Amino acid sequence: MNNSVGNTARLIGAGLRALLVLTVICGVIYPLAVTGIAQALFNDKANGSEIKDKSGQVVGSSLIGQTYNLPKQHPDDPEEAAKPDLKWFQPRPSNGLGSNGVNTQYSLILSGATNRSADNGAVNGRCAKDAEEGTLCAQVVAAKEAVIADNSTAGYTVRPEDVPADAVTSSGSGLDPDISPAYAKIQVRRVAEQNKLDVKQVEKLVADHTTGRTLGFMGEPRVNVLELNTALKALAKS
């Protein structure tokens, strides 16, 4: 009986010691070591890939897109569609993006893609202007018309064939922070006009914030919209 109690006590003691040691190693030493290495070698990424403005204020993350819309006239009306603030470069269309961090407020809404197929609403493989309301084709046609109208200026008209796919479709996550150089290009004149800047200044801004393919062959050239608009804000103030 005494041997049984003693063995049990030893087993409990060994278990408690193992619990204490593993708690210290796995719950304290390992997290501190990983955090320290991350902060030392990958400080920017470990802290959320933050983007800061000229004053040092964090305006968002380079990994998550933001919208640039005018305030709603009736904020409590869910049916009222937000209108883009045309003095900023616009991101890909998406219901997942939060409000604009450059204008002091950012709030993530959701992440996810539509379940509609790529040819939803198409007739003979093409999206017609009279596509059935509520279909993906109808959304794409409406988005394309809006892009052309918004970005055409007095001396420049956006041609339908110049509108890239990312200007009228959302990404799979709905949180894509980047647009194609082609989409940025058709916005240059409108942004320059709205901010009373020279077109060449804005073109240089886009070129400076265009990132090439990763390792030279992966992905596509891209422009981070938040980084671009943060630089635009600084340029417009200078």
Side-chain angles (χ1 to χ4, degrees), residues 121-156:
V123 178
N124 296 324
R126 299 181 65 85
C127 288
K129 284 190 175 182
D130 58 351
E132 183 182 347
E133 186 176 353
T135 63
L136 183 61
C137 270
Q139 293 179 10
V140 167
V141 168
K144 190 170 186 177
E145 291 175 349
V147 167
I148 292 172
D150 288 344
N151 292 287
S152 294
T153 61
Y156 172 73

Short mmCIF file of all heavy atoms in Angstrom, two decimals, residues 121-156:
data_model
loop_
_atom_site.label_atom_id
_atom_site.label_comp_id
_atom_site.label_asym_id
_atom_site.label_seq_id
_atom_site.Cartn_x
_atom_site.Cartn_y
_atom_site.Cartn_z
N GLY A 121 -24.17 35.32 -66.33
CA GLY A 121 -24.87 36.39 -67.05
C GLY A 121 -24.39 36.61 -68.46
O GLY A 121 -24.93 37.45 -69.19
N ALA A 122 -23.35 35.86 -68.90
CA ALA A 122 -22.81 36.04 -70.24
C ALA A 122 -23.69 35.36 -71.29
O ALA A 122 -24.37 34.37 -71.00
CB ALA A 122 -21.39 35.47 -70.32
N VAL A 123 -23.68 35.92 -72.48
CA VAL A 123 -24.40 35.33 -73.62
C VAL A 123 -23.37 35.05 -74.70
O VAL A 123 -22.67 35.96 -75.16
CB VAL A 123 -25.49 36.29 -74.14
CG1 VAL A 123 -26.18 35.67 -75.35
CG2 VAL A 123 -26.49 36.61 -73.05
N ASN A 124 -23.27 33.77 -75.08
CA ASN A 124 -22.27 33.35 -76.07
C ASN A 124 -20.86 33.76 -75.66
O ASN A 124 -20.04 34.17 -76.50
CB ASN A 124 -22.61 33.92 -77.45
CG ASN A 124 -23.93 33.38 -78.00
OD1 ASN A 124 -24.27 32.22 -77.78
ND2 ASN A 124 -24.67 34.23 -78.71
N GLY A 125 -20.62 33.67 -74.39
CA GLY A 125 -19.28 33.95 -73.87
C GLY A 125 -18.93 35.42 -73.72
O GLY A 125 -17.79 35.75 -73.40
N ARG A 126 -19.90 36.32 -73.91
CA ARG A 126 -19.64 37.75 -73.81
C ARG A 126 -20.64 38.42 -72.88
O ARG A 126 -21.78 37.99 -72.77
CB ARG A 126 -19.70 38.42 -75.19
CG ARG A 126 -18.67 37.90 -76.18
CD ARG A 126 -18.77 38.62 -77.51
NE ARG A 126 -18.41 40.03 -77.37
CZ ARG A 126 -17.16 40.49 -77.42
NH1 ARG A 126 -16.16 39.64 -77.58
NH2 ARG A 126 -16.91 41.77 -77.31
N CYS A 127 -20.16 39.47 -72.20
CA CYS A 127 -21.03 40.25 -71.32
C CYS A 127 -21.65 41.39 -72.12
O CYS A 127 -20.91 42.28 -72.60
CB CYS A 127 -20.25 40.82 -70.13
SG CYS A 127 -19.77 39.57 -68.92
N ALA A 128 -22.96 41.36 -72.28
CA ALA A 128 -23.65 42.40 -73.05
C ALA A 128 -24.13 43.51 -72.11
O ALA A 128 -24.23 43.33 -70.90
CB ALA A 128 -24.83 41.79 -73.78
N LYS A 129 -24.42 44.67 -72.71
CA LYS A 129 -24.87 45.81 -71.90
C LYS A 129 -26.21 45.54 -71.22
O LYS A 129 -26.53 46.12 -70.19
CB LYS A 129 -24.99 47.07 -72.77
CG LYS A 129 -23.65 47.70 -73.12
CD LYS A 129 -23.85 49.05 -73.78
CE LYS A 129 -22.49 49.72 -74.02
NZ LYS A 129 -22.65 51.08 -74.61
N ASP A 130 -27.01 44.65 -71.84
CA ASP A 130 -28.31 44.34 -71.26
C ASP A 130 -28.26 43.05 -70.44
O ASP A 130 -29.26 42.32 -70.34
CB ASP A 130 -29.36 44.22 -72.38
CG ASP A 130 -29.00 43.15 -73.41
OD1 ASP A 130 -27.85 42.63 -73.36
OD2 ASP A 130 -29.85 42.83 -74.26
N ALA A 131 -27.11 42.76 -69.84
CA ALA A 131 -26.96 41.55 -69.02
C ALA A 131 -27.98 41.57 -67.87
O ALA A 131 -28.34 42.64 -67.36
CB ALA A 131 -25.55 41.46 -68.46
N GLU A 132 -28.42 40.40 -67.50
CA GLU A 132 -29.45 40.28 -66.46
C GLU A 132 -28.96 40.92 -65.16
O GLU A 132 -27.83 40.70 -64.71
CB GLU A 132 -29.76 38.80 -66.22
CG GLU A 132 -30.87 38.58 -65.20
CD GLU A 132 -31.12 37.10 -64.95
OE1 GLU A 132 -30.63 36.27 -65.75
OE2 GLU A 132 -31.81 36.78 -63.96
N GLU A 133 -29.83 41.72 -64.57
CA GLU A 133 -29.49 42.44 -63.35
C GLU A 133 -29.13 41.45 -62.22
O GLU A 133 -29.79 40.43 -62.04
CB GLU A 133 -30.66 43.33 -62.91
CG GLU A 133 -30.33 44.21 -61.72
CD GLU A 133 -31.47 45.15 -61.36
OE1 GLU A 133 -32.47 45.20 -62.12
OE2 GLU A 133 -31.37 45.81 -60.32
N GLY A 134 -28.08 41.76 -61.49
CA GLY A 134 -27.66 40.91 -60.38
C GLY A 134 -26.61 39.89 -60.75
O GLY A 134 -26.02 39.25 -59.88
N THR A 135 -26.36 39.72 -62.06
CA THR A 135 -25.34 38.77 -62.49
C THR A 135 -23.96 39.42 -62.44
O THR A 135 -23.83 40.65 -62.37
CB THR A 135 -25.62 38.27 -63.92
OG1 THR A 135 -25.55 39.38 -64.83
CG2 THR A 135 -26.98 37.61 -64.01
N LEU A 136 -22.93 38.58 -62.51
CA LEU A 136 -21.57 39.09 -62.52
C LEU A 136 -21.33 39.96 -63.74
O LEU A 136 -20.67 41.00 -63.66
CB LEU A 136 -20.58 37.93 -62.50
CG LEU A 136 -19.09 38.31 -62.42
CD1 LEU A 136 -18.80 39.07 -61.15
CD2 LEU A 136 -18.22 37.06 -62.50
N CYS A 137 -21.88 39.57 -64.88
CA CYS A 137 -21.73 40.36 -66.10
C CYS A 137 -22.31 41.76 -65.94
O CYS A 137 -21.72 42.75 -66.38
CB CYS A 137 -22.38 39.66 -67.28
SG CYS A 137 -21.26 38.55 -68.17
N ALA A 138 -23.48 41.84 -65.32
CA ALA A 138 -24.11 43.15 -65.11
C ALA A 138 -23.23 44.03 -64.24
O ALA A 138 -23.08 45.23 -64.48
CB ALA A 138 -25.49 42.97 -64.49
N GLN A 139 -22.62 43.44 -63.21
CA GLN A 139 -21.73 44.19 -62.32
C GLN A 139 -20.49 44.67 -63.07
O GLN A 139 -20.05 45.81 -62.90
CB GLN A 139 -21.34 43.33 -61.13
CG GLN A 139 -22.49 43.01 -60.19
CD GLN A 139 -22.05 42.13 -59.03
OE1 GLN A 139 -20.87 41.91 -58.82
NE2 GLN A 139 -23.02 41.62 -58.29
N VAL A 140 -19.93 43.79 -63.90
CA VAL A 140 -18.72 44.14 -64.65
C VAL A 140 -19.01 45.26 -65.65
O VAL A 140 -18.25 46.21 -65.78
CB VAL A 140 -18.15 42.90 -65.37
CG1 VAL A 140 -17.09 43.29 -66.39
CG2 VAL A 140 -17.56 41.93 -64.36
N VAL A 141 -20.14 45.16 -66.36
CA VAL A 141 -20.51 46.18 -67.34
C VAL A 141 -20.71 47.53 -66.65
O VAL A 141 -20.22 48.57 -67.12
CB VAL A 141 -21.79 45.77 -68.10
CG1 VAL A 141 -22.34 46.94 -68.90
CG2 VAL A 141 -21.50 44.59 -69.02
N ALA A 142 -21.41 47.52 -65.51
CA ALA A 142 -21.65 48.77 -64.77
C ALA A 142 -20.34 49.35 -64.25
O ALA A 142 -20.12 50.56 -64.30
CB ALA A 142 -22.61 48.51 -63.62
N ALA A 143 -19.47 48.47 -63.74
CA ALA A 143 -18.18 48.93 -63.23
C ALA A 143 -17.33 49.53 -64.33
O ALA A 143 -16.66 50.55 -64.15
CB ALA A 143 -17.45 47.77 -62.55
N LYS A 144 -17.36 48.92 -65.51
CA LYS A 144 -16.57 49.42 -66.65
C LYS A 144 -17.06 50.80 -67.08
O LYS A 144 -16.26 51.71 -67.35
CB LYS A 144 -16.65 48.43 -67.81
CG LYS A 144 -15.68 48.72 -68.95
CD LYS A 144 -15.64 47.57 -69.94
CE LYS A 144 -14.57 47.77 -71.00
NZ LYS A 144 -14.49 46.62 -71.92
N GLU A 145 -18.37 50.97 -67.15
CA GLU A 145 -18.93 52.26 -67.51
C GLU A 145 -18.54 53.33 -66.50
O GLU A 145 -18.23 54.47 -66.86
CB GLU A 145 -20.46 52.16 -67.63
CG GLU A 145 -20.92 51.33 -68.82
CD GLU A 145 -22.43 51.13 -68.84
OE1 GLU A 145 -23.08 51.45 -67.82
OE2 GLU A 145 -22.95 50.65 -69.87
N ALA A 146 -18.53 52.95 -65.22
CA ALA A 146 -18.16 53.90 -64.16
C ALA A 146 -16.69 54.28 -64.25
O ALA A 146 -16.32 55.45 -64.08
CB ALA A 146 -18.47 53.31 -62.79
N VAL A 147 -15.83 53.31 -64.54
CA VAL A 147 -14.39 53.58 -64.67
C VAL A 147 -14.14 54.54 -65.83
O VAL A 147 -13.35 55.48 -65.70
CB VAL A 147 -13.61 52.26 -64.88
CG1 VAL A 147 -12.18 52.54 -65.33
CG2 VAL A 147 -13.59 51.45 -63.60
N ILE A 148 -14.82 54.32 -66.94
CA ILE A 148 -14.65 55.20 -68.11
C ILE A 148 -15.13 56.61 -67.78
O ILE A 148 -14.46 57.61 -68.07
CB ILE A 148 -15.41 54.63 -69.32
CG1 ILE A 148 -14.75 53.33 -69.79
CG2 ILE A 148 -15.46 55.64 -70.46
CD1 ILE A 148 -15.54 52.58 -70.85
N ALA A 149 -16.30 56.72 -67.15
CA ALA A 149 -16.86 58.03 -66.82
C ALA A 149 -16.01 58.77 -65.79
O ALA A 149 -15.76 59.97 -65.92
CB ALA A 149 -18.29 57.86 -66.30
N ASP A 150 -15.56 58.06 -64.77
CA ASP A 150 -14.81 58.70 -63.68
C ASP A 150 -13.43 59.17 -64.12
O ASP A 150 -12.93 60.18 -63.62
CB ASP A 150 -14.65 57.74 -62.50
CG ASP A 150 -15.95 57.51 -61.75
OD1 ASP A 150 -16.89 58.30 -61.94
OD2 ASP A 150 -16.01 56.53 -60.97
N ASN A 151 -12.80 58.44 -65.04
CA ASN A 151 -11.41 58.71 -65.38
C ASN A 151 -11.22 59.48 -66.69
O ASN A 151 -10.08 59.80 -67.04
CB ASN A 151 -10.63 57.40 -65.43
CG ASN A 151 -10.49 56.78 -64.05
OD1 ASN A 151 -9.75 57.25 -63.21
ND2 ASN A 151 -11.25 55.71 -63.82
N SER A 152 -12.30 59.77 -67.37
CA SER A 152 -12.21 60.60 -68.58
C SER A 152 -12.21 62.07 -68.16
O SER A 152 -13.04 62.50 -67.36
CB SER A 152 -13.38 60.31 -69.51
OG SER A 152 -13.31 58.99 -70.02
N THR A 153 -11.25 62.83 -68.69
CA THR A 153 -11.14 64.25 -68.37
C THR A 153 -11.36 65.07 -69.64
O THR A 153 -11.62 64.51 -70.71
CB THR A 153 -9.76 64.57 -67.78
OG1 THR A 153 -8.75 64.24 -68.75
CG2 THR A 153 -9.51 63.76 -66.52
N ALA A 154 -11.22 66.40 -69.51
CA ALA A 154 -11.49 67.28 -70.65
C ALA A 154 -10.62 66.94 -71.86
O ALA A 154 -11.09 66.98 -73.00
CB ALA A 154 -11.26 68.73 -70.23
N GLY A 155 -9.37 66.59 -71.63
CA GLY A 155 -8.49 66.31 -72.76
C GLY A 155 -8.13 64.85 -72.92
O GLY A 155 -7.21 64.51 -73.68
N TYR A 156 -8.85 63.98 -72.22
CA TYR A 156 -8.50 62.55 -72.26
C TYR A 156 -9.76 61.71 -72.05
O TYR A 156 -10.49 61.90 -71.07
CB TYR A 156 -7.48 62.25 -71.17
CG TYR A 156 -7.17 60.78 -70.98
CD1 TYR A 156 -6.41 60.07 -71.90
CD2 TYR A 156 -7.63 60.10 -69.85
CE1 TYR A 156 -6.11 58.73 -71.71
CE2 TYR A 156 -7.34 58.76 -69.65
CZ TYR A 156 -6.58 58.08 -70.58
OH TYR A 156 -6.29 56.74 -70.38
#
